[in-house]
């Protein structure tokens, strides 16, 4: 499934307490917003590294 999904627009959000990324699926117009709350914020970059990255 990974070749069909890419991550982009990753950043810290809400005063740096959350980590947000957008997953894009091949053939779909809209992306899926994934938010990591403060307790799991450090897992965000590790999650994104498993996907191809788009800008």
């Amino acid at each position: 499934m990974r070749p069909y999904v890419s991550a982009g627009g990753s950043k810290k959000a809400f005063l740096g307490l959350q980590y947000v990324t957008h997953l894009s699926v091949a053939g779909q117009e809209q992306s899926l917003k994934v938010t990591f709350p403060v307790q799991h914020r450090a897992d965000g970059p590790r999650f994104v590294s498993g996907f191809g990255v788009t800008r």
Side-chain angles (χ1 to χ4, degrees):
M1 181 166 171
R2 287 186 188 161
Y4 302 106
V5 179
S6 60
S10 301
K11 63 182 177 181
K12 289 183 181 179
F14 191 67
L15 304 173
L17 298 176
Q18 296 179 337
Y19 186 84
V20 176
T21 191
H22 294 269
L23 298 180
S24 299
V25 178
Q28 298 295 316
E29 290 183 23
Q30 294 187 351
S31 62
L32 174 67
K33 180 180 177 181
V34 181
T35 303
F36 293 87
V38 67
Q39 302 90 334
H40 303 288
R41 178 183 60 209
D43 294 332
R46 191 171 29 194
F47 175 80
V48 169
S49 70
F51 298 98
V53 178
T54 58
R55 302 278 174 209

